[in-house]
Amino acid sequence: MKRILLPRKQFLLYCLIGGSGTALTCLIYALLVKYARVSYQAANAIGYAAGTLISFILNACFNFRVSDKIALRLATFFGVAFLGWLASVGLLDLLVGRWAWSAYYAYFIVIIIVVLLQYNLNRLLSFRKTA
């Protein structure tokens, strides 16, 4: 029973932590654009990096509970985040750009796919238990 419930609990906590990282990303983006007059692309990069970093820290400490090889795990986590971003770009181009789906409907589908992709990659690579 534990083998069935643990992955679901990890996935739900992963989504909750990801939501907090996304909220931080949005907050930093808005503050930088509005008050610091930073360009929107630079604000997006800074916010995305901060959100990814806080997601990594929270996942490492509270979800996957790992404390070894932190630099390697962090680099892998950022690599997975980059792959997720690339997947979202490609899928949105396909669904909206080529197939003319609604951008909102397509984004919803893309987010589900990317979250599942990133969760599994992070579980298998970034937060894999070491001997």
Side-chain angles (χ1 to χ4, degrees), residues 1-114:
M1 184 64 119
K2 195 174 187 179
R3 290 174 62 188
I4 294 170
L5 293 177
L6 182 62
R8 288 187 176 94
K9 178 185 171 192
Q10 279 184 335
F11 178 70
L12 293 174
L13 191 52
Y14 181 85
C15 290
L16 182 66
I17 289 169
S20 68
T22 300
L24 179 65
T25 298
C26 294
L27 177 65
I28 289 173
Y29 176 85
L31 292 173
L32 289 174
V33 168
K34 183 169 179 133
Y35 297 110
R37 304 274 194 254
V38 173
S39 77
Y40 66 91
Q41 290 291 14
N44 183 43
I46 294 165
Y48 190 82
T52 301
L53 181 61
I54 196 69
S55 292
F56 172 79
I57 292 167
L58 293 174
N59 270 301
C61 292
F62 301 110
N63 194 9
F64 296 97
R65 300 176 192 267
V66 295
S67 59
D68 63 330
K69 302 180 181 180
I70 293 300
L72 178 61
R73 292 180 188 280
L74 179 61
T76 305
F77 192 83
F78 267 85
V80 168
F82 182 69
L83 288 176
W85 177 77
L86 286 178
S88 71
V89 168
L91 287 168
L92 284 171
D93 181 57
L94 176 68
L95 297 175
V96 178
R98 298 184 192 271
W99 292 353
W101 285 23
S102 159
Y104 301 108
Y105 179 69
Y107 190 72
F108 178 75
I109 299 298
V110 167
I111 289 299
I112 291 170
I113 293 168
V114 170

Side-chain angles (χ1 to χ4, degrees), residues 11 14 64 80 113-126:
F11 178 70
Y14 181 85
F64 296 97
V80 168
I113 293 168
V114 170
V115 165
L116 290 171
L117 171 73
Q118 287 185 269
Y119 168 71
N120 284 297
L121 286 174
N122 279 317
R123 185 173 55 86
L124 295 171
L125 300 173
S126 304

